[in-house]
Amino acid sequence: VRLIVRSQSEIADSIKGCETFVLSNTNGITLDYALKGCESLVIATGARPSVDLTGPAKVDCLNIQKQVESCKRQDLKRVVLVSSLCAGKFIHPLNFFGLILIWKRLGEKALQRSGLNWTVIRPGGLNENEQDLKSQKVLFSGERTQQEGSIPRRLVAKSCIEALKTKDSINKIIEITSNKENPKTTMEKAIKTLNI
């Protein structure tokens, strides 16, 4: 496992032993170098709320395009993109932060048109809840089927790994939220049963 992080990123103790590339920008040369020899990439970058309303365009669209192009040059086999529930929806409170959901959808489209084997994971609101993770069950569904809900970041990471291991998730948009009441299932079962 290799981490490719921005200079201001905080790295959790549990993954500090991984090989790490710190990039101050995501231009083609540095990205190509960081991805050399990799088989797959999970793109989990995202714009933060800021007074700079161009942040979502830069991070959630333009940088995704750069990462996709680098993946093609390095001949990666799989790419999983973490996007957001309601990506592409125009009338939504999150769009007050520089039309973030519109830019996220454009980033998704860049990956979809790339010719790479892709999966888009659209999580609900991210939370830091680390308690009772084992009792939280992920609800997997197809595109534009969930409008609200939340999910711990760790379960989003777990779903990304599950997508990499699930052949049926290739070329699919999968929305995820979690709570204790959801029926227990796997991504693979949900894709087959719900025809995602």
Side-chain angles (χ1 to χ4, degrees):
V1 176
R2 179 180 299 167
L3 305 178
I4 303 172
V5 297
R6 292 178 279 194
S7 52
Q8 68 274 26
S9 297
E10 290 181 25
I11 300 172
D13 290 338
S14 59
I15 55 174
K16 278 189 177 165
C18 295
E19 182 181 17
T20 304
F21 285 80
V22 180
L23 303 184
S24 55
N25 62 52
T26 49
N27 68 46
I29 297 167
T30 55
L31 262 176
D32 284 0
Y33 178 70
L35 289 173
K36 198 168 186 70
C38 291
E39 292 180 3
S40 307
L41 175 66
V42 174
I43 302 174
T45 51
R48 294 187 175 104
S50 162
V51 291
D52 177 9
L53 295 181
T54 65
K58 291 176 192 168
V59 176
D60 294 303
C61 182
L62 299 176
N63 276 338
I64 297 300
Q65 290 172 356
K66 288 179 185 177
Q67 291 178 72
V68 165
E69 289 306 312
S70 188
C71 288
K72 287 163 68 175
R73 286 191 298 271
Q74 295 303 311
D75 198 26
L76 266 68
K77 305 293 181 244
R78 284 284 270 120
V79 179
V80 174
L81 171 65
V82 178
S83 183
S84 174
L85 226 56
C86 301
K89 191 171 183 178
F90 184 70
I91 299 173
H92 194 283
L94 281 177
N95 282 329
F96 291 127
F97 301 104
L99 296 175
I100 192 166
L101 294 174
I102 302 302
W103 292 115
K104 280 188 179 292
R105 181 64 189 126
L106 291 173
E108 291 178 0
K109 285 183 176 181
L111 178 58
Q112 288 175 288
R113 291 190 296 255
S114 68
L116 296 163
N117 286 330
W118 58 269
T119 304
V120 172
I121 300 289
R122 287 182 177 172
L126 301 176
N127 66 57
E128 308 294 336
N129 184 5
E130 293 284 315
Q131 296 177 343
D132 297 326
L133 277 178
K134 289 185 179 177
S135 65
Q136 289 279 318
K137 298 177 203 79
V138 177
L139 174 64
F140 301 100
S141 67
E143 184 178 0
R144 284 177 275 182
T145 53
Q146 297 189 58
Q147 298 296 312
E148 56 187 31
S150 66
I151 186 167
R153 289 179 189 273
R154 194 174 294 260
L155 291 183
V156 175
K158 187 177 176 185
S159 296
C160 290
I161 293 167
E162 196 172 351
L164 288 173
K165 295 177 178 179
T166 305
K167 191 175 180 182
D168 287 342
S169 74
I170 293 173
N171 299 344
K172 298 267 194 315
I173 293 177
I174 301 169
E175 298 186 341
I176 58 172
T177 55
S178 72
N179 65 46
K180 295 177 182 179
E181 286 72 44
N182 287 333
K184 189 172 183 177
T185 189
T186 64
M187 182 180 290
E188 186 173 24
K189 283 181 188 170
I191 289 170
K192 286 178 179 168
T193 350
L194 303 172
N195 200 21
I196 294 174

